[in-house]
Amino acid sequence: MDWIWRRFVLFGLVALLSSLFAVPATAAPITASESCHATAAANETYRDLRGAPQSWTCQDSRYDIGPESLFLRYRLTDLAQPRAQSLVTHASKFSAITIWVVGEDGAVRTARYYPATVRHLIAGPMMVLPLPHTASRPRLVAVRIDQPWNKTIASEARLDSAVEGTGWDMGVIVAMAAICGMLVVPLLLNFGFYIVLRRPFVLWHIVMVGLMLVQTVVGTGFIHIGADPDAATEIAISSLCFGVVAASGLMFLLTFLEPEALSPKLRRVLIGCAPLVMAGGVFTALPFAVLRPWSALGVYSAVSLSICLILCGLIDAWRRGSKLVPILMVGWMPTLMVGVYRIGSYILPHARPTESVVVFQLALAAEVLANSLGIVIRFLELRRERDLATARATELEGVAGRDALTGLWNRHSIERRFNDLFRLGYRTMAVIDLDHFKRINDRHGHAVGDSVLKVVATVLAEDGESCAIRMGGEEFLLLLRGPGGAERAERCRRALSTRIAAAVPGLGHVVTASMGLVEHDLSGNLDVEFAVLYSHCDRLLYEAKRLGRNRTMRERLTGFTPDFQVRMA
């Protein structure tokens, strides 16, 4: 049945992934007749580049943010296209953006924007820069981006026909909002799991899901519904989230799989690399201008290292026969593939850098859901293992804590449980010893003596509000709670003679018992140790033996509050 359940879960995950990726496409931007980009030093102008055609790259690749400035140029000759009124690009750090618009009449208009003056969209991680107005249709738009921190500020730039800019369509917005909601549910479930099952992998998954939720809110632009952070703050938050999520993923893998699923060497590597992966996110979040050309490489390098280690861990665990690898493979493969695509498109010179936000967020949601189901399966397995271990421990404890002859608790078990029983109200202790028991063994043999001890155990165990213990030999102990404990113990002692005579005939004499009993502070809060109370009872038992046997000696201990404590209260 276990393999059927696992296949059912895997089938459900595949169906879920298929449904998640069925999302409407985003709105198409204005298509320029020619789109080119070029890099420039701080002292170079657009006029300088206009006379140097070899400086321009008119392909959607080879973006470079190493120099101080990055130029974009759009030629608009297709009159069938709507009029361009704004520039929309991925929200990223920059120091200034200058836009020149040349109308069909030759008029030139200029606008300059700074991080504090651009407007961020709610429907996507994009910022909008309105084009300066010209009386005639624009035929050329030139853009200068000073000190860009990420290639996507150029590669994902596009002209838009709306002054306020166009973000995602409603289908994508609904999908992204649904992802935020889907991340909240596993987060709450994980908190519940951690309360019940305090395992490290649940805690690491809480960290992963919580920061994924933060990154989703920031990375989709939904943060601008209630706040208005600048692009630098958004990038810093996202980078820190990516770094910590990637490091937490390593620790989750390490603690989620079965203990024997990873080699000791690989386990040490995962633990050692987790802080290094986290440091990559911190590097990208640093605001120092000297780091600008390599800033994005910090988090990409960290995530690349994390992906490699996760794949090595999955392969190693699969080779060692881990049953949890299929769940992790289904959950992590979409995220790993999208991550590799994003990193490759950014690093490879002939690729177009892209954030692939929509697909990446869908992959994250699939990962969280798959891992949450994996946690449920792992939780059930651990609970089953714990229940089996508890049952076995209870069984072993019962065997070790019971007297083999009578089935009563032995001295070792009652010494360990005494404090708990005392707090539950078992405050009357009686030590019972059979009189002249050695005569029975000598005259009738040990088998008859064992039969007598079994009868004593049966009689003492009949009181539902008492615990009967065989201390050794012919000595027994009773712990009683409730009203009339001393009287009930005395009735048990007196009943022994009749019950033994009826159950073991032919003894030739009446078997009696002596008892030492202490009622300890029945209505107060006076504590006592087992050894102290037992020594009181043993002393009273010795006194009963000395006075002729077949009797009970009893005492009552009562706690009280001194007068000066009452007055101070």
Side-chain angles (χ1 to χ4, degrees), residues 311-510:
L311 289 176
C312 290
L314 292 176
I315 293 172
D316 188 41
W318 176 73
R319 293 176 59 186
R320 290 170 174 265
S322 172
K323 298 179 180 180
L324 299 172
V325 169
I327 296 295
L328 295 180
M329 292 285 287
V330 171
W332 272 350
M333 277 302 120
T335 305
L336 297 182
M337 289 189 294
V338 175
V340 170
Y341 173 73
R342 286 180 60 173
I343 295 170
S345 66
Y346 191 89
I347 296 177
L348 298 177
H350 293 283
R352 174 181 176 269
T354 177
E355 293 292 328
S356 304
V357 176
V358 175
V359 178
F360 184 70
Q361 297 301 332
L362 289 171
L364 283 182
E367 176 188 346
V368 170
L369 292 177
N371 287 343
S372 296
L373 287 176
I375 287 178
V376 173
I377 295 175
R378 187 79 171 114
F379 173 79
L380 294 175
E381 290 182 350
L382 289 173
R383 191 178 68 175
R384 183 168 61 250
E385 293 174 2
R386 184 188 62 185
D387 292 344
L388 291 175
T390 301
R392 180 59 178 164
T394 302
E395 180 182 354
L396 292 175
E397 181 184 9
V399 172
R402 295 280 182 177
D403 175 61
L405 177 64
T406 64
L408 299 180
W409 294 109
N410 58 28
R411 178 166 184 163
H412 175 70
S413 63
I414 196 60
E415 286 177 344
R416 290 189 297 108
R417 291 177 172 84
F418 176 74
N419 291 334
D420 294 333
L421 292 172
F422 189 81
R423 283 191 292 269
L424 292 174
Y426 290 89
R427 298 191 169 211
T428 299
M429 178 184 288
V431 177
I432 304 171
D433 187 89
L434 297 180
D435 298 328
H436 303 298
F437 180 75
K438 188 174 181 301
R439 294 179 186 175
I440 299 177
N441 285 333
D442 293 342
R443 295 177 181 177
H444 305 281
H446 288 281
V448 175
D450 290 346
S451 299
V452 172
L453 295 177
K454 291 179 181 179
V455 175
V456 174
T458 302
V459 174
L460 297 183
E462 288 177 349
D463 190 324
E465 290 296 311
S466 69
C467 291
I469 303 97
R470 185 186 179 194
M471 300 298 287
E474 67 273 20
E475 183 179 305
F476 294 83
L477 183 143
L478 271 180
L479 281 176
L480 304 101
R481 69 175 177 181
E487 290 73 17
R488 286 156 38 212
E490 177 63 17
R491 285 197 296 269
C492 287
R493 186 192 70 82
R494 294 185 178 184
L496 291 177
S497 299
T498 305
R499 297 286 292 274
I500 292 173
V504 188
L507 291 177
H509 71 279
V510 177

Side-chain angles (χ1 to χ4, degrees), residues 428-433 435 485-494 513-519 537 540-545 547-555:
T428 299
M429 178 184 288
V431 177
I432 304 171
D433 187 89
D435 298 328
E487 290 73 17
R488 286 156 38 212
E490 177 63 17
R491 285 197 296 269
C492 287
R493 186 192 70 82
R494 294 185 178 184
S514 301
M515 183 169 68
L517 182 145
V518 174
E519 295 177 282
C537 293
L540 293 171
L541 174 63
Y542 177 79
E543 186 69 14
K545 295 280 190 180
L547 294 176
R549 294 182 172 83
N550 192 22
R551 67 192 63 217
T552 295
M553 299 297 294
R554 57 186 288 188
E555 286 183 356

Side-chain angles (χ1 to χ4, degrees), residues 24 26 31 61 109 125 138 182 208-209 216 221 237-238 335 351 354 400 404 416 510 533 567:
T26 56
T31 303
S61 60
R109 296 290 183 270
M182 286 191 294
M208 289 175 60
V209 177
T216 300
I237 294 175
S238 291
T335 305
T354 177
R416 290 189 297 108
V510 177
L533 191 57
R567 289 195 297 270

